[in-house]
Amino acid sequence: MRPLTDNVHLQYLITTNSSQMTTLNTNNPYALRYLLNETVYAFEITKKDEELNEEPLVEVSSYYEFLGENKKQILYIVDNQAHTYFSSGALDAFSRTINALGLSMEDIAVFNIAKHTSIINFDQICTYFNPQKVILAGASPTQLTLNNLSLNNPITLNNVKILYTFSFEEMLTDIERKKTFWQQVKTL
């Protein structure tokens, strides 16, 4: 799936006090996020569908902003209201952790569930990211409609390995939590 902002341009009319209209054009994903307060969908009709003279297939996709490139389909889900993804200290700890695991930012995706106002379930996340491994680093499983997950007890659900663990913010201040996380994430 592709982010919607690749080909989305927003034309916005702004009325000033002098009753003049000004046009604002943007394809910046951050600007779109603040100007649009509703879910945006992309509809695509493939040429193959048109040639078959059948009812065209329509793909509806949502846009999730994330950090990384997700090449190895390893998804970290965080819940951080105060920062885009991590504080500077937590980002440093996170970077060292993925490096110690032999990974880079190209290999993983970091998704901050706190930055999305709509209800998101685990199936939607799996459809969009297609993960092989999911680490809920501070994000509650109930936010994704996942029940019966125990802290630091990895499970496999629909061929996806899932670990519910502490946030990197919590691990910065508690060495025992950091050790527990490290023991579990190495086996995932």
Side-chain angles (χ1 to χ4, degrees):
M1 294 187 162
R2 63 169 176 72
L4 288 180
T5 55
D6 288 350
N7 295 315
V8 173
H9 294 277
L10 176 67
Q11 187 171 25
Y12 213 71
L13 294 176
I14 301 171
T15 306
T16 61
N17 288 342
S18 61
S19 297
Q20 296 176 337
M21 288 193 188
T22 306
T23 302
L24 171 67
N25 290 310
T26 184
N27 64 351
N28 182 311
Y30 297 105
L32 289 172
R33 180 173 170 195
Y34 290 103
L35 293 173
L36 296 174
N37 60 3
E38 298 177 5
T39 304
V40 178
Y41 296 96
F43 296 94
E44 298 177 18
I45 301 173
T46 63
K47 198 166 190 95
K48 181 180 175 184
D49 294 332
E50 293 171 357
E51 291 170 357
L52 294 174
N53 290 329
E54 294 178 3
E55 191 172 317
L57 296 176
V58 178
E59 178 184 331
V60 178
S61 63
S62 297
Y63 169 70
Y64 296 120
E65 184 178 321
F66 62 96
L67 179 66
E69 295 180 28
N70 199 28
K71 289 184 178 178
K72 291 194 177 177
Q73 299 168 311
I74 301 171
L75 176 62
Y76 282 82
I77 301 176
V78 299
D79 184 7
N80 193 331
Q81 290 284 346
H83 303 282
T84 306
Y85 297 101
F86 302 107
S87 67
S88 60
L91 179 60
D92 184 51
F94 176 74
S95 297
R96 286 184 305 201
T97 300
I98 62 171
N99 286 334
L101 292 168
L103 301 169
S104 71
M105 290 305 292
E106 291 178 350
D107 300 325
I108 58 98
V110 180
F111 174 69
N112 188 354
I113 197 164
K115 301 300 179 183
H116 295 271
T117 56
S118 61
I119 296 172
I120 301 170
N121 66 40
F122 188 68
D123 291 334
Q124 290 171 310
I125 294 290
C126 287
T127 299
Y128 188 81
F129 289 99
N130 193 27
Q132 292 179 0
K133 299 175 184 178
V134 174
I135 296 91
L136 299 170
S140 170
T142 56
Q143 289 174 283
L144 297 168
T145 62
L146 285 171
N147 299 319
N148 302 324
L149 282 183
S150 301
L151 191 63
N152 294 308
N153 186 21
I155 66 163
T156 301
L157 180 66
N158 299 329
N159 297 319
V160 178
K161 295 177 183 178
I162 305 169
L163 174 63
Y164 166 46
T165 190
F166 310 109
S167 73
F168 280 85
E169 304 292 338
E170 293 172 306
M171 289 185 270
L172 282 176
T173 58
D174 189 330
I175 292 178
E176 288 304 314
R177 288 182 177 187
K178 188 187 315 183
K179 287 179 183 177
T180 303
F181 163 74
W182 181 245
Q183 291 302 315
Q184 294 303 320
V185 81
K186 286 190 307 186
T187 63
L188 202 59

